[in-house]
Amino acid sequence: MITVNEKEHVFHLHNGRMSYLFYVMDSGQLGHLYFGKELRSDGSYLHMVEKAHRPMTTYITEGDLYTSYEHLRQEYPTYGTSDYRYPALEVQGTDGSALCKLEYQGYEIIPGKKPLPGLPATYVEDPAEAETLEIRMRDPWRGLEAVLSYTIFRDCDAIARSVRFVNKGEKTLFLDRAMSLSLDFPDADYESVQLSGSWARARSIVTRPLPPGVPAVSSMRGNSSHQHNPFLALKRKHTTEHSGDAYGFSLVYSGNFLAQAEVDNYNVLRVMLGINPFGFRWKLAPGGEFVTPEAVMVWSNQGLNGMSWQFHALYKNRLARGYWRDRERPVLINNWEATMFDYVEDDLVRFAQKAQECGIELFVLDDGWFGARNNDRAGLGDWKPNPAKLPNGIKGLAQRIEGLGMKFGLWFEPEMVNRDSDLFRAHPDYIIQTPGRTPSHGRNQFVLDFSRPQVVDEIYNQMYALLSTAKISYIKWDMNRSISECYSASLPADQQGEVFHRYILGVYDLHERLIRAFPELLIESCSSGGGRFDAGMLYYAPQGWTSDDSDAIERLKIQYGTSLVYPISSMGAHVSACPNSQVGRNTPIETRGNVAMTGAFGYELDLNKLSEEELKAVKQQVVFYKQNRKLLVQGAFYRLLSPFEGNFAAWEVAEHDGSRALVTVTRILSEINGPYRRLPLLGLDPDRKYHIYSKYLSYEAYGDELMQFGLMLEDQASGQVIEGSGGSGSCEDFRSLVYEVVGM
């Protein structure tokens, strides 16, 4: 999959569908040539290099008025040697100079893919699945070596990139910017697509044209954030969900990030992705190393949905890992929205008993079970059960839940502490705070300094004590505030720029240690409902709580946007009570169930408070989900109608062989006397006959009809209640149906 033209020094990564080409310039730096649909592996491509004499340009060599880094497409640019755009690398020496020039030294092709030490990354199980190209660069004056790593996958149109820096000189260096990926496109005639929002409305799809300048999304919060996701896509203006070129860039990292697209005065586009340079400075002593997080870039000529397929396939199968990667996830119920902090053990058992009667498999005890935790002002950091609530401890409660035939799960917020806690009283220096400054709080809590190994050890030991003595099958890992006053008492002044990154490494380390100690433990990343819903966490937690907003209609946008990058198997999605506690909306329980089923399914309410009719609906939902969860976890996901663009949302999950599909259609607001509607499907066998049925509809059609003419959506009333219509004449708002399409 990697071809090297030794004569022209051109490197060609290709897998039968996609090509990526770059070359070594005469000056020793790397130049970019092409990224897109596969080109011939035996072609000559140096003529793609474009040079011209430009006024007000700084040139590399005296007498040469054509060669300038400012106007050459580069592979990993540095600043200060004729390129005035943002660089991928900034390094400063003890002399104060920030000039750096990396020169090519050699390459190596490696079967398979190496892990990244201490960092999440994609992987392979068979070396034949991928090939890795390592390019060794060096600044001879600085003594800085940079090893650029490119992995191309056989079965996925994706390339994973990272960079390893080694100080082979005799003087200390400081990395001020070390991006994971830089890519220069020959033109900027694209629209950018980002996932942005806030708490309870994260990952909305935002599309905009690329003007001259530097559009960017980022986080400086210490976590990847609700506000922006570490992802950026580019699409041509004519590209749709299912046709046209689309490029996606995703960072496998959970901390501060920067994703930017710089358009220069000649309409050349430079995309960069990596750790946010703001607040970052890494001290590289002689012999020291630094490895950037992994960035994944994908290409598709089948639109944004095709781009998503590449991410889904790679992240579902070669980023998520371990015991739960390929297993069907249990249907769970969480007590938080039902009880908040107000419960005792017998209440929880009654809560779980009703869930077990409905076929639910996992009971999750949320916040409030530990320390002096009766509100959000105390207890964090003291991971020991509260005997007033749980007289038999977590072990006793877990035994009672297991005795019902259910699994038991537990909520933690390992990275946080309250002032009113034994941990804080014993170790007030364990929090992140700047000396002489008053630390800010969020939700009455402070951030533990996970850049310090002894702090991580303290929390690990507490969690291990519980997990090793009680039967706990699942943990919900929450994180309810970002980092402020970033400073670590354990680091000297010239290493304070490392705290943000070292913190995330500590978070990863705690996850890794728990997974190794308890390999069958299912971890769900919560982070205040999506504040760290990123590819980095997917490596440790195969599912994440998608949003604290559990309203089904709000979730249409949240889950639709999330699916741009992340597989639906990773999205925690629950049926909550009505009126909804976030927005006060009343939504039919069928709609709540239909929307939540396209994810890791569960409930967030007290089943004892439901009517008999609602309980019947819950039991039917649980049975239906269990019958179909293998398809929902492993099938191909298609976005059909966007809730960002109209009154309907629709998506489809189909078997890869086209034998079967589930289609979810939700009408947000009722309409009066609306038109007939048909929904073209995807991923079916055109020559196969299918049986289509929903709650009110049943007919047969061939795949070609369903994909060309479309699935006929039933709504006989079109906004008018018709007596005797048997339900199909419903004119209610927030109406959803699931259509089963089964090959005959």
Side-chain angles (χ1 to χ4, degrees), residues 12 187 196 277 291 318 374 469 507 535 541 554 576 580 614 631 656:
H12 187 173
D187 69 84
S196 298
V291 179
R318 292 297 181 264
N374 296 307
T469 56
V507 172
E554 295 294 310
S576 60
N580 177 264
E614 288 173 318
L631 167 61
H656 291 281

Side-chain angles (χ1 to χ4, degrees), residues 440-488:
S440 305
H441 76 87
R443 202 183 181 228
N444 301 299
Q445 63 195 47
F446 301 89
V447 184
L448 290 169
D449 186 358
F450 267 37
S451 73
R452 301 171 65 177
Q454 66 266 40
V455 178
V456 178
D457 289 344
E458 166 67 32
I459 299 303
Y460 173 77
N461 290 335
Q462 289 195 47
M463 295 180 73
Y464 182 87
L466 269 174
L467 294 167
S468 60
T469 56
K471 184 63 174 175
I472 299 170
S473 302
Y474 159 108
I475 63 173
K476 178 181 178 181
W477 186 307
D478 215 339
M479 189 280 298
N480 281 297
R481 65 153 295 185
S482 300
I483 295 173
S484 59
E485 293 86 34
C486 186
Y487 188 94
S488 176

Side-chain angles (χ1 to χ4, degrees), residues 494-514:
D494 63 356
Q495 288 186 264
Q496 290 302 318
E498 302 176 13
V499 178
F500 276 122
H501 183 60
R502 288 186 181 274
Y503 176 89
I504 290 297
L505 294 180
V507 172
Y508 291 155
D509 178 56
L510 181 55
H511 276 89
E512 190 67 41
R513 291 164 71 178
L514 290 170

